[in-house]
Amino acid sequence: MMSDVGSDEFDDERSKVGEYEGDRNEAGERQGVGKAVLPNGDVYQGQYEHGTRHGQGTYRFKNGARYVGDYHNNMKHGQGTFYYPDGSKYEGSWVEDLRQGHGVYTYPNGDMYDGDWLHHIRHGQGIYHYQNTGSQYRGSWLNGKMEAAGEYIHSNARYKGNFVNNNPCGPGKYVFDIGCEQHGEYQQAEQPATDEESGKHLERQKWPYLGSREGGAEEERAEGEWGELASTVVLKWIPKCVTGLTLWTPGKDTSVGEKEAAVAEN
C-alpha cells in the first residue's frame, strides 16, 4: 500500500499521534485548508472535506517522492503529478490512487511514454520515445506491453506491422526515407540464435514487461530497444519484395508488391 493511503486514522488528536494545523467544521472534522504531519514522517498540505483529503493538495513522502494534484476521498483522483525518488515523473490522470486515463511518464534515463493508462499500467494507444537514439514506438499497448498494430520509427526508416508480447510478429514492412519499402514477415522462435544465424536477418530484443509493481508509489522502469539485449525470443525477418512507396486502398486492384503491402498494413 502507499504510505499516504489510510493514514488519517493515525491523525486523530485524541490518539496523540500525528499533528494537524488548519480549518475544521462544526463537527470538529478537518474541513477547508490544513497541514498534517503523519506519524511516519509524510506531510500533506491542502484541502480537506469531512476529515479526508479532498480537492487540491500536495503530499510529500519521507522517501523524497511528492504528489501535487487532485484528491477525492483520501485518494489521488483527477489530474496530478507524481515525482518519484529516482527522478522519474508521471503527469496526468488518476483514478482511485492509480494512473488511469491519459498521462505522460518521464523515466530517469530521459525516455518518455505519452498515452493511455489503465490500472497503473500502459494500456491503449501510446507513444514511447527513446532518448538515446531518438527512436519511438507508436501504437497499441495491452497490459503494459506493445500489442497489435504498431509502428516502430528509427532515424532513417520505420517498421509497420503487428506486435505480440512486445515483439513484431507476422506480416509487416520497412518504409525507408530514400523512397522504397521492403515487405516481409517476422517469425518468432524461443531458442537462441547461433552466430551463423545472426547473419541471416535475425534480430534479438528484450522489451521487459513494465506493469506496476505492488504499491502505488513504485517507479516504472524504462523500455529496452530492439536488439538491445539477448533473450529467449529470436526474431527472424523474412524479406519478400522491395517496392516503391505504396498506399493500399480496399477494393482497388493492386500489383503483387502492392498486395503484399496491403497484407502488411492489416
Side-chain angles (χ1 to χ4, degrees):
M1 296 288 291
M2 293 184 61
S3 56
D4 65 334
V5 176
S7 55
D8 274 314
E9 62 181 288
F10 298 106
D11 295 328
D12 192 330
E13 289 181 344
R14 293 172 298 176
S15 69
K16 307 300 180 184
V17 179
E19 301 176 1
Y20 173 75
E21 296 180 2
D23 303 330
R24 294 183 182 272
N25 58 20
E26 294 181 355
E29 300 173 318
R30 299 174 187 182
Q31 182 91 11
V33 178
K35 178 181 179 180
V37 180
L38 282 65
N40 63 1
D42 293 351
V43 178
Y44 171 78
Q45 186 167 5
Q47 296 177 314
Y48 283 89
E49 185 173 303
H50 298 300
T52 64
R53 293 183 292 276
H54 195 98
Q56 284 286 316
T58 298
Y59 194 105
R60 300 177 186 274
F61 297 81
K62 64 178 180 180
N63 66 358
R66 175 167 51 102
Y67 172 78
V68 181
D70 298 330
Y71 274 92
H72 182 81
N73 290 335
N74 255 6
M75 293 182 288
K76 294 182 291 296
H77 192 94
Q79 294 296 307
T81 302
F82 202 112
Y83 302 87
Y84 295 90
D86 68 349
S88 58
K89 179 181 71 172
Y90 172 81
E91 184 175 6
S93 178
W94 296 80
V95 175
E96 296 183 352
D97 269 339
L98 299 176
R99 297 186 290 265
Q100 186 156 318
H102 180 266
V104 178
Y105 197 110
T106 304
Y107 298 85
N109 65 355
D111 288 1
M112 183 178 67
Y113 171 79
D114 183 346
D116 298 330
W117 297 77
L118 180 66
H119 303 318
H120 227 42
I121 60 177
R122 294 171 298 197
H123 188 97
Q125 292 294 310
I127 304 172
Y128 191 100
H129 302 263
Y130 296 92
Q131 173 67 21
N132 286 341
T133 63
S135 299
Q136 63 178 245
Y137 168 83
R138 294 171 174 260
S140 299
W141 297 78
L142 179 66
N143 295 327
K145 298 182 181 181
M146 302 173 192
E147 197 82 18
E151 183 177 15
Y152 200 92
I153 304 171
H154 301 277
S155 59
N156 62 346
R158 61 183 63 199
Y159 174 78
K160 296 182 178 182
N162 248 13
F163 287 76
V164 175
N165 195 28
N166 271 345
N167 296 305
C169 184
K173 67 178 181 179
Y174 280 95
V175 181
F176 297 95
D177 291 347
I178 59 175
C180 67
E181 299 178 353
Q182 183 185 67
H183 303 272
E185 180 179 354
Y186 265 110
Q187 294 183 353
Q188 297 185 9
E190 289 300 321
Q191 70 276 7
T194 65
D195 291 341
E196 180 181 356
E197 289 174 321
S198 296
K200 298 179 180 178
H201 307 288
L202 285 184
E203 297 183 62
R204 295 183 182 184
Q205 72 183 71
K206 183 180 181 181
W207 291 339
Y209 172 64
L210 296 187
S212 66
R213 300 185 288 277
E214 290 298 321
E218 297 285 355
E219 303 90 348
E220 290 223 342
R221 283 178 283 184
E223 282 281 12
E225 287 206 63
W226 246 348
E228 185 176 81
L229 296 172
S231 73
T232 57
V233 176
V234 177
L235 303 177
K236 184 177 182 180
W237 172 246
I238 303 175
K240 293 185 177 180
C241 67
V242 175
T243 71
L245 298 179
T246 60
L247 179 62
W248 176 62
T249 303
K252 177 183 176 182
D253 289 336
T254 60
S255 66
V256 174
E258 289 175 329
K259 288 179 179 178
E260 292 192 3
V263 173
E265 290 282 5
N266 288 336

